[in-house]
Each structure stands twice: as structure tokens, then as C-alpha cells.
Amino acid sequence: MILDCISNNNVKRCSSQFRISSHHLEIELGRYNNIGRNERKCKLCNCNMVESEYHFLLCCPIYNDLRRKYNIRCNWPNSTRCKNLLSSQNVKVINNVAKFISEAAQIREEKLITIAAS
């Protein structure tokens, strides 16, 4: 399995959940709360984009530093690039994407808690 090369079980779990859409991004939360797809916007940025896996992994400016840290960059983000990152067979890419997903999810939760408290 692709994720077998990830040694940290928390990172592996988070990455697995992301891959099967068992996460807390608005794209999924809105689905269960009967919110129209186009209204499931990212609450952390001003891009006015649906908070999908694509937006989370490649577009949301909140995670730009983290993308640099894990070398997940692309000048022109698109769904093909997203798919290629998530289906890579390269161990380094797999580990970097998994670590990014795990750390970005933690950042997201912390920022949402801060927003809710204000």
C-alpha cells in the first residue's frame, strides 16, 4: 500500500482520512449539513473558494509556508497536479504530502477554534 512508507501512525491516519474524504473540510461537512456545494467556502482565507481537498492541498494561502516546507509547490494549481500528488509512488513525495496534510489539518483546527472564540 502507498501509505506503508509513512512511519508516524498519526500522520498515516490523517492522510488516509483525507484520501477517503473522511475529514472535516467544508466540502464534506456541508454535504452532511445540507449546504449547497458552492456555499461550502473556506473559512480561513479570502479566496472565496469551496474548501475542497484541492483548495486545501494546493490553493489556500494559509498553508503557503507549510507547502514550502514540504516542497508542495506549483505555479498553476490544477486538479491534475492534485491527483498526481495524492497518487504518487515516490516515497519522499508520499511522506511530504502526508506530513503536510497532518500539519495543515492541525493548523486549520486551531485557526477555526480561534475564529469561533472571537
Side-chain angles (χ1 to χ4, degrees):
M1 179 176 197
I2 288 176
L3 298 177
D4 287 341
C5 65
I6 302 169
S7 57
N8 183 308
N9 285 332
N10 289 330
V11 170
K12 187 184 293 191
R13 179 185 45 76
C14 191
S15 183
S16 296
Q17 288 175 328
F18 184 84
R19 290 166 178 268
I20 63 170
S21 295
S22 177
H23 49 63
H24 296 118
L25 299 180
E26 290 298 318
I27 191 72
E28 287 302 314
L29 292 178
R31 191 172 144 209
Y32 296 109
N33 294 315
N34 294 320
I35 297 170
R37 188 184 191 294
N38 291 335
E39 299 306 312
R40 302 175 199 171
K41 308 283 186 190
C42 179
K43 295 176 179 172
L44 302 181
C45 72
N46 296 323
C47 294
N48 199 32
M49 289 180 69
V50 171
E51 187 187 36
S52 63
E53 295 85 351
Y54 164 75
H55 175 74
F56 180 82
L57 187 61
L58 295 177
C59 301
C60 188
I62 297 296
Y63 313 114
N64 282 343
D65 290 340
L66 204 54
R67 282 188 202 94
R68 280 189 284 281
K69 176 180 176 180
Y70 290 113
N71 200 27
I72 299 173
R73 291 181 248 158
C74 79
N75 294 331
W76 301 102
N78 59 53
S79 57
T80 302
R81 174 73 171 141
C82 186
K83 179 183 172 188
N84 289 345
L85 282 170
L86 292 172
S87 63
S88 176
Q89 300 294 311
N90 181 303
V91 172
K92 184 173 175 104
V93 172
I94 293 167
N95 274 295
N96 283 350
V97 169
K99 288 175 187 174
F100 169 85
I101 291 168
S102 178
E103 287 184 39
Q106 185 175 359
I107 290 167
R108 180 184 181 276
E109 291 305 313
E110 290 168 2
K111 288 193 178 287
L112 287 175
I113 289 168
T114 302
I115 290 169
S118 25

